[in-house]
């Protein structure tokens, strides 16, 4: 699986080895240094493979690298942050 930040579409995409889109984590910019992760989807054909975890982790790692504060409107992102306290400092 490969994860890519598509900044033009405000999303992080996870694709399989053949380039098929398996899922995405979308965000809305809230200002220059703040985003709201508001939607995460894994395609039904790829569910049950644990893909949301690396997708959300990559998205939050990029948020950290960019210096963004994060709002987690998406329940999957909020749940990930709850289970991984090292990301709580991103919440703004």
């Amino acid at each position: 699986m490969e994860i890519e930040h598509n900044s033009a579409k405000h999303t992080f995409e996870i694709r399989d080895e053949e380039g098929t889109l398996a899922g995405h984590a979308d965000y809305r910019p809230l200002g220059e240094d703040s985003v709201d992760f508001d939607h995460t989807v894994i395609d039904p054909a790829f569910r049950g493979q644990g893909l949301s975890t690396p997708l959300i982790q990559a998205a939050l790692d990029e948020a950290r690298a960019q210096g963004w504060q994060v709002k987690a409107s998406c329940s999957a992102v909020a749940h990930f942050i709850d289970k991984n306290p090292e990301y709580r400092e991103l919440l703004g």
Side-chain angles (χ1 to χ4, degrees):
M1 292 292 177
E2 180 180 314
I3 300 170
E4 180 178 290
H5 181 197
N6 185 335
S7 59
K9 292 184 178 181
H10 300 125
T11 191
F12 289 83
E13 300 170 337
I14 188 166
R15 297 179 180 275
D16 70 7
E17 301 80 24
E18 297 171 3
T20 303
L21 183 64
H24 54 93
D26 303 336
Y27 64 91
R28 288 182 308 117
L30 299 175
E32 285 187 34
D33 61 353
S34 185
V35 296
D36 178 13
F37 282 97
D38 59 356
H39 193 62
T40 302
V41 174
I42 300 298
D43 184 279
F46 292 92
R47 288 189 185 149
Q49 299 178 35
L51 299 182
S52 63
T53 296
L55 176 61
I56 293 168
Q57 183 174 1
L60 293 175
D61 286 345
E62 180 65 16
R64 180 180 283 139
Q66 294 294 327
W68 296 340
Q69 289 289 300
V70 170
K71 180 178 178 185
S73 293
C74 172
S75 60
V77 174
H79 182 73
F80 179 90
I81 292 171
D82 259 359
K83 289 194 164 271
N84 297 277
E86 65 270 24
Y87 289 97
R88 287 188 188 144
E89 84 276 357
L90 295 174
L91 295 173

